């Protein structure tokens, strides 16, 4: 059985933003591929966010590869393009099973399944679920009772309930980098710290915090960590096999467990990994010891989600950081010559013109190396989305 995993192209409205934010290897779909390969399926990946195949070229890909299943994962802004692909697939070959997954499909699974060209929706963490779906389809078995999916029958939709999260992240094979065009991923000048080849990694899944603008439908609130040895082994693979010299650690808060993060840094130094990297951190968990450890291990840029310069607005979204936390974290970054990037959101609950101006004043006071200002979008699956409705 052949399985094609697809990331749809991004809409033109997002192209400029992505040029300024960069596109790094799609770890989610690469993890799905590695799990399928481990189960001895024939797998291919099409990342159309970098390939930009036209409709006729996508059809040629289907004709050439002849997949039995196409799995599509899309962020919210790319969902319209994802649904166009599902129609193209069914028109090309109605026998292909079409599966949707990812954060949008998880949050609005019934809406996604309403589309005539979608057969199955995978909810949440997809590795174990997708392998079991493919196994049953290959053996022509019923999907009854298979946790983590919604699917269509002659009598309507069936939802089998949620699947438990994967407890042992070290047991998941490394992303299937060999199926990606690793030379095509990039970071813009404002986010890169070298002229080296770019890679990315995640060292944990889940977040214990309760910011109400965040959707945790895929990885959940329970935190699961990879061991330092497992993380650094993947870094070595990226460096030695794929020539990666700079990585982005995409954890939403790399310093959640500072002791473990420092162990990763110490192991990187012992292995003499010649890499530069960046990471996202919570300002209230920043310490001198942590800051020194990441700098010595090659970190050159730290990103903080500040969200607002007004404490009341941060409290409204349960961000749980203070001006004092933020100022201390940035002072430590300056001490260790780390570049600082801060992101803010305009339009949080309670925002006025005056509070927006206070945020601008606070941003100027902090004087980071890079600033990013975003307009609030209530994301599907977040508490703020339900409040907006």
């Amino acid at each position: 059985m052949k399985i094609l995993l697809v990331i749809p192209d991004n809409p033109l409205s997002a192209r400029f933003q992505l040029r300024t934010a960069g596109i790094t290897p799609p770890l989610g779909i690469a993890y799905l591929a590695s799990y399928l390969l481990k189960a001895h399926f024939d797998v291919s990946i099409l990342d159309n966010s970098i390939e930009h195949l036209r409709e006729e070229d996508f059809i040629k890909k289907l004709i050439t590869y002849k997949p039995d299943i196409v799995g599509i994962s899309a962020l919210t802004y790319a969902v319209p393009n994802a649904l166009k692909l599902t129609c193209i697939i069914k028109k090309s070959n109605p026998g292909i099973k079409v599966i949707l997954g990812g954060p949008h499909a998880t949050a609005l699974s019934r809406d996604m399944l309403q589309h005539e060209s979608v057969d199955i929706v995978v909810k949440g963490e997809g590795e174990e679920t997708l392998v079991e779906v493919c196994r049953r389809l290959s053996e022509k078995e019923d999907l009854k009772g298979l946790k983590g999916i919604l699917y269509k029958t002659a009598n309507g939709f069936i939802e089998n309930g949620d699947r438990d999260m994967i407890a042992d992240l070290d047991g998941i094979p490394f992303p299937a980098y060999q199926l990606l065009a690793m030379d095509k991923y990039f970071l813009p000048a404002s986010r890169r710290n070298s002229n080296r080849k770019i890679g990315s990694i995640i060292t944990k899944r889940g977040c214990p915090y309760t910011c109400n603008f965040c959707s945790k439908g895929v990885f959940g609130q329970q935190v699961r960590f990879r061991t330092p040895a497992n993380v650094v082994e993947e870094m070595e693979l990226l460096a030695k096999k794929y020539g990666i010299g700079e990585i982005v650690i995409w954890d939403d808060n790399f310093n959640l467990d500072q002791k473990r993060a420092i162990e990763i840094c110490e192991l990187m130094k012992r292995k003499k990994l010649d890499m530069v990297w960046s990471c996202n951190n919570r300002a209230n968990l920043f310490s001198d010891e942590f800051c020194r450890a990441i700098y010595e291990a090659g970190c050159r840029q730290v990103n903080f989600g500040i969200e607002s310069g007004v404490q009341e607005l941060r409290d409204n979204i349960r961000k749980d950081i203070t001006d004092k936390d933020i100022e201390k974290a940035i002072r430590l970054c300056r001490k260790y010559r780390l570049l600082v990037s801060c992101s803010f959101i305009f339009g949080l609950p309670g925002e006025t013109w005056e509070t927006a101006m206070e945020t601008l004043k606070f941003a100027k006071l902090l004087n980071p190396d890079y600033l990013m200002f975003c307009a609030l979008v209530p994301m599907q699956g977040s508490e703020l989305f339900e409040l907006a409705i």
Side-chain angles (χ1 to χ4, degrees), residues 313-368:
L313 268 60
R314 283 190 224 119
D315 293 342
N316 287 347
I317 59 171
R318 299 196 298 272
K319 183 64 181 183
D320 196 28
I321 58 171
T322 65
D323 289 1
K324 186 177 179 181
D325 295 329
I326 297 161
E327 290 163 358
K328 175 189 172 185
I330 292 179
R331 279 198 305 272
L332 286 170
C333 289
R334 296 299 183 213
K335 177 180 177 181
Y336 289 99
R337 295 172 295 170
L338 289 162
L339 295 173
V340 177
S341 173
C342 293
S343 61
F344 295 86
I345 303 173
F346 285 129
L348 295 172
E351 185 87 278
T352 64
W353 178 262
E354 289 73 24
T355 59
M357 292 302 102
E358 287 300 314
T359 289
L360 287 175
K361 288 178 184 176
F362 188 59
K364 290 173 71 176
L365 175 68
L366 295 175
N367 193 28

Side-chain angles (χ1 to χ4, degrees), residues 6-247:
V6 179
I7 295 176
D9 204 352
N10 296 302
L12 290 175
S13 58
R15 294 281 177 88
F16 175 76
Q17 179 188 353
L18 290 166
R19 293 300 304 179
T20 59
I23 300 178
T24 56
L27 298 177
I29 213 160
Y31 269 119
L32 294 175
S34 69
Y35 228 74
L36 288 164
L37 289 170
K38 183 181 177 181
H40 307 294
F41 286 102
D42 186 334
V43 187
S44 182
I45 293 177
L46 169 61
D47 184 354
N48 214 33
S49 71
I50 59 169
E51 299 295 348
H52 309 300
L53 296 187
R54 296 171 299 175
E55 180 177 330
E56 55 267 35
D57 294 321
F58 179 67
I59 292 171
K60 287 179 184 176
K61 174 80 172 177
L62 294 176
I63 293 170
T64 302
Y65 184 60
K66 296 182 175 61
D68 302 286
I69 297 170
V70 176
I72 303 176
S73 179
L75 297 176
T76 296
Y77 56 73
V79 163
N81 283 349
L83 293 174
K84 287 179 186 176
L85 289 182
T86 67
C87 295
I88 293 169
I89 293 163
K90 286 296 188 180
K91 186 176 179 181
S92 173
N93 183 350
I96 295 174
K97 289 291 184 182
V98 175
I99 304 174
L100 287 189
H104 188 99
T106 294
L108 298 178
S109 51
R110 286 187 169 270
D111 286 359
M112 293 295 97
L113 204 58
Q114 296 275 3
H115 293 272
E116 185 178 353
S117 51
V118 178
D119 298 302
I120 301 167
V121 171
V122 171
K123 293 180 63 178
E125 205 168 38
E127 286 90 353
E128 292 181 343
T129 303
L130 185 58
V131 165
E132 181 62 15
V133 167
C134 293
R135 187 192 66 78
R136 291 202 190 185
L137 291 177
S138 69
E139 296 175 5
K140 299 185 173 14
E141 293 182 6
D142 196 279
L143 298 176
K144 182 178 179 180
L146 198 162
K147 296 287 187 182
I149 65 168
L150 280 78
Y151 64 103
K152 290 174 180 170
T153 68
N155 300 317
F157 298 171
I158 293 180
E159 185 170 2
N160 287 340
D162 296 335
R163 180 180 291 270
D164 290 339
M165 297 291 186
I166 299 171
D168 178 21
L169 297 188
D170 284 9
I172 303 176
F174 296 150
Y177 295 114
Q178 69 272 25
L179 300 182
L180 298 173
M182 294 292 284
D183 291 334
K184 294 187 178 181
Y185 297 100
F186 68 94
L187 289 175
S190 61
R191 299 191 68 173
R192 65 182 304 143
N193 303 284
S194 72
N195 60 357
R196 303 177 182 182
K197 193 172 171 182
I198 298 295
S200 58
I201 194 172
I202 57 171
T203 79
K204 69 173 188 62
R205 293 184 179 183
C207 176
Y209 294 98
T210 58
C211 304
N212 67 6
F213 60 85
C214 184
S215 174
K216 298 188 179 73
V218 174
F219 289 150
Q221 198 159 354
Q222 180 183 352
V223 182
R224 294 150 293 144
F225 294 103
R226 297 171 60 188
T227 62
N230 183 257
V231 171
V232 175
E233 184 183 347
E234 183 178 348
M235 291 178 177
E236 286 186 291
L237 172 73
L238 287 169
K240 293 176 181 177
K241 186 172 182 179
Y242 298 100
I244 301 300
E246 179 170 356
I247 60 170

